[in-house]
Amino acid sequence: MTRTTAAIVGWAHSPFGKLEDPDVESLIGRVAGEALAHAGIGTDDVDFITVGTYNNGFSRQGFEASLVGTAVPELAHVPAVHLENACATGSAALNAALDFIESGRGRIALVVGAEKMTATPTAEVGEILLSACYRREEAAVDAGFAGIFGKIAAHYFQRHGDRSAELAMIAAKNHENGVRNPFAHMRKDFGFDFCNTVSDKNPLVAGPLRRTDCSLVSDGAAALVVADAETAAGLARTVAIRARVQANDFLPLSRRDPIAFDGAHRAWKVGLATAGLTIDDLDLVETHDCFTVAEMIEYEAMGLAAPGEGWKVAREGATRRGGRLPVNLSGGLKSRGHPIGATGVSQHVMAAMQLAGEAGDMQLDGASLAGVFNMGGAAVASYVSILERTR
């Protein structure tokens, strides 16, 4: 595997939440042109477009790649494709754009991730999201995809003790961080006690998971502009992609250890090795906390803790701002929100903002290396990117 020669040179991000935008087309229109302007690139310079949307029933409008040209007419004749890979859809779109650039087929690509979820009734949202599990065995689970992760949490607790308090620590950390993020869906610091207490406002949702352990149903969009090294050298900012890896695992939970996240571990191991780094070299990580138990197990997958000891990382505060490795300074999916197709793109935007020194109140001083982990399904499709500030 060779090191990439492409770089992130611009981005844009809509607010996440329950937005007035009526559809994915309008959300794409929010960010596509803005990302190009941020990069200092005109529409005539774009060689390729990738669009990440999950859809699967959120909208009757498919063929989402064509919507970029509808929202931004100047881009109507640029080749565009749609990518979908469950909750890792945004990272799949980014990787396809990087493949295009690195193959030498073009110099500049636009990546857009978007999803409109809140117009869909809550019961239908759960049913749509279950299409990211192995329906033959798992479709009957209560509470939709939260039920899948509720079972994962229950397995973890059976093996390693009740870690509800540590999950509450992760939730409280991410909500505290989200207060600093102007794009976040939920900008409220709930505190540990609220997150750790079952109440009318924080009921159990699935298994041991409370409402504060679950990410939000959100609308939103994010975009990235990527360019080859020669083109990037003449632009205002360059965030190099030092490594990028995808690893997959079995879709049915019955065919693997549900709390091992082996695919995620493989992706992190190869990604760090490709970059010539260890986890301790990173300044921050944006990770996929669709549920707090996912973030806890991801600590183990990325090498911050031994298997079964991710809860210790939460308890020690190692991933808080100022800790050993700050995780989800943006608030993560838990606070920022989780519009499925936009999430992977958003994570890369948040990390790139930090490395470029453009993160505002979220900024971590001196950040130069960042990791991004985005997964589709219950750790089925795992993507790791290592980003580096170069200019």
Side-chain angles (χ1 to χ4, degrees):
M1 185 180 296
T2 59
R3 287 168 61 144
T4 66
T5 57
I8 296 169
V9 296
W11 51 81
H13 201 293
S14 81
F16 281 5
K18 188 171 184 178
L19 305 182
E20 294 182 358
D21 301 70
D23 49 32
V24 166
E25 179 185 333
S26 61
L27 289 167
I28 289 171
R30 273 200 183 213
V31 297
E34 184 181 339
L36 294 175
H38 185 250
I41 288 170
T43 53
D44 290 344
D45 296 318
V46 179
D47 299 309
F48 191 54
I49 300 169
T50 61
V51 178
T53 56
Y54 180 66
N55 197 341
N56 278 291
F58 286 122
S59 169
R60 296 190 66 175
Q61 175 64 64
F63 197 13
E64 290 89 351
S66 68
L67 296 178
V68 180
T70 306
V72 185
E74 296 83 357
L75 295 172
H77 300 295
V78 179
V81 296
H82 167 233
L83 283 296
E84 183 272 310
N85 210 9
C87 300
T89 286
S91 289
L94 173 58
N95 274 257
L98 293 171
D99 288 342
F100 176 86
I101 298 297
E102 291 170 17
S103 72
R105 294 173 61 200
R107 300 178 303 111
I108 296 170
L110 172 66
V111 182
V112 182
E115 209 77 61
K116 177 70 179 182
M117 300 175 71
T118 65
T120 302
T122 301
E124 292 181 31
V125 170
E127 183 64 22
I128 290 168
L129 294 179
L130 277 175
S131 60
C133 77
Y134 191 55
R135 295 188 69 98
R136 184 179 298 177
E137 295 178 1
E138 299 161 7
V141 67
D142 291 334
F145 219 72
I148 299 292
F149 276 87
K151 288 181 177 293
I152 289 171
H155 279 295
Y156 194 98
F157 288 10
Q158 288 167 7
R159 218 174 293 179
H160 304 299
D162 185 336
R163 299 301 167 195
S164 297
E166 287 80 9
L167 296 188
M169 292 172 188
I170 292 171
K173 167 185 70 72
N174 290 345
H175 278 293
E176 180 181 3
N177 287 342
V179 173
R180 297 172 178 257
N181 187 349
F183 303 111
H185 185 159
M186 184 69 72
R187 300 183 68 189
K188 184 174 182 179
D189 184 357
F190 288 100
F192 169 75
D193 289 340
F194 179 84
C195 294
N196 196 43
T197 303
V198 175
S199 65
D200 290 342
K201 292 185 177 181
N202 190 29
L204 289 170
V205 174
L209 298 180
R210 300 145 297 198
R211 181 176 291 164
T212 50
D213 293 309
C214 307
S215 59
L216 299 157
V217 173
S218 310
D219 308 325
L224 292 160
V225 180
V226 294
D228 64 19
E230 182 179 356
T231 302
L235 298 174
R237 65 186 61 76
T238 303
V239 175
I241 301 170
R242 188 157 166 171
R244 59 183 177 98
V245 177
Q246 179 188 352
N248 268 50
D249 208 338
F250 289 106
L251 177 59
L253 288 171
S254 63
R255 298 188 62 179
R256 55 192 169 100
D257 183 343
I259 69 169
F261 283 24
D262 284 337
H265 176 69
R266 289 196 300 275
W268 271 109
K269 183 177 180 180
V270 174
L272 288 168
T274 301
L277 302 170
T278 71
I279 193 68
D280 289 322
D281 293 318
L282 300 181
D283 297 303
L284 63 110
V285 165
E286 286 289 325
T287 202
H288 193 102
D289 59 319
C290 50
F291 300 90
T292 52
V293 67
E295 180 169 330
M296 185 167 68
I297 297 174
E298 287 157 19
Y299 295 160
E300 301 168 16
M302 70 179 73
L304 276 179
E309 296 185 355
W311 58 273
K312 292 183 179 180
V313 173
R315 181 162 288 281
E316 293 164 359
T319 54
R320 295 178 63 86
R321 177 178 285 272
R324 171 187 170 192
L325 179 63
V327 173
N328 287 336
L329 289 171
S330 70
L333 285 59
K334 182 70 211 61
S335 175
R336 191 176 72 251
H338 187 21
I340 305 297
T343 287
V345 181
S346 169
Q347 289 180 300
H348 286 83
V349 170
M350 293 293 117
M353 289 172 66
Q354 289 282 356
L355 299 181
E358 298 179 21
D361 289 342
M362 295 181 286
Q363 187 65 52
L364 181 70
D365 291 341
S368 61
L369 286 165
V372 176
F373 175 73
N374 182 206
M375 71 180 182
V380 178
S382 294
Y383 291 80
V384 166
S385 301
I386 307 297
L387 308 184
E388 181 177 22
R389 181 183 64 205
T390 53
R391 186 162 48 84

